[in-house]
Amino acid sequence: MAHILVLYYSRGGHTAQISRAIAEQIIANGDQCDVINIHDTKQKPIEWDKYQAVALGACVLYGSYHKSVFEFVSQHQQALSNIPNSFFCVNVVARNPEKRIPENNKYLQKFLTLSAWKPQDVKIIAGKVDYPSWPWYDSLMIRLIMKMTDGPTDPTAIIDYTDWQDVKAYGNHIASLANVELS
């Protein structure tokens, strides 16, 4: 039985929800999984040596990742690299199937260029538009971006583009990375 770590940065809660779904699938397969917000690692350091694989996820807002994501991967670059690892990127542009291909997703490519950590494996997961729950300025700015990219602009729109079956498949994939490590 593998012990897997799923780390995440979430701004509005959707990446946290995706992370929990990944963990649920890993646990359903009989492995153990801890899910930790990267901000919580400041109070309680990670015991890296107890994990056989790690997946780190982060959402994109305004075309970039929160600076804490880059700080985290810079600080933990060696530990992340020492075990089988994967990075998953959550963004709304991935609502278009061609943007779920790593080479076609400029946000994933930006992460790979700017990050001190070079993940062994990557995944792109379509995010969620939730205008009513966002602060007015985020809602306004994202609606403007959506207008330019032919996305939804209705200020009452809540659209979850996440393919939850694909998230489960990704959970299975992460478990397989850990179980290869155990063999």
Side-chain angles (χ1 to χ4, degrees):
M1 176 170 50
H3 198 163
I4 300 165
L5 176 61
V6 177
L7 294 160
Y8 69 90
Y9 168 81
S10 188
R11 188 160 188 268
H14 195 66
T15 303
Q17 183 181 4
I18 290 169
S19 298
R20 288 189 298 273
I22 293 166
E24 286 170 9
Q25 186 62 32
I26 290 168
I27 292 166
N29 288 330
D31 292 310
Q32 293 180 320
C33 188
D34 296 331
V35 181
I36 302 173
N37 183 321
I38 64 171
H39 293 296
D40 295 338
T41 65
K42 293 176 184 173
Q43 290 80 26
K44 185 177 178 191
I46 298 168
E47 297 175 47
W48 293 99
D49 57 346
K50 76 179 189 180
Y51 299 106
Q52 284 75 50
V54 59
L56 170 63
C59 58
V60 173
L61 184 66
Y62 300 125
S64 193
Y65 303 88
H66 193 269
K67 67 179 183 172
S68 64
V69 175
F70 292 110
E71 290 168 358
F72 180 86
V73 298
S74 180
Q75 180 182 359
H76 298 285
Q77 174 185 356
Q78 190 64 47
L80 286 163
S81 298
N82 283 344
I83 56 177
N85 61 75
S86 184
F87 174 73
F88 63 98
C89 166
V90 179
N91 60 71
V92 176
V93 74
R95 70 188 184 277
N96 299 316
E98 70 275 5
K99 298 298 183 181
R100 289 182 221 134
I101 299 167
E103 297 77 23
N104 295 344
N105 189 291
K106 66 182 178 179
Y107 304 120
L108 175 64
Q109 294 304 315
K110 185 176 189 176
F111 177 83
L112 295 174
T113 300
L114 298 176
S115 173
W117 168 54
K118 303 304 177 203
Q120 297 168 335
D121 184 80
V122 294
K123 176 71 174 169
I124 301 165
I125 299 172
K128 179 179 180 181
V129 170
D130 189 353
Y131 292 124
S133 75
W134 294 340
W136 70 268
Y137 50 87
D138 284 343
S139 180
L140 177 65
M141 293 304 294
I142 294 170
R143 284 176 39 225
L144 288 171
I145 293 166
M146 288 292 188
K147 185 173 178 72
M148 294 185 291
T149 61
D150 296 321
T153 58
D154 176 354
T156 64
I158 302 172
I159 306 167
D160 186 352
Y161 292 103
T162 306
D163 178 342
W164 292 100
Q165 287 306 114
D166 190 47
V167 170
K168 284 183 173 186
Y170 181 62
N172 293 336
H173 173 69
I174 298 303
S176 73
L177 293 177
N179 288 308
V180 166
E181 176 74 3
L182 287 175
S183 13

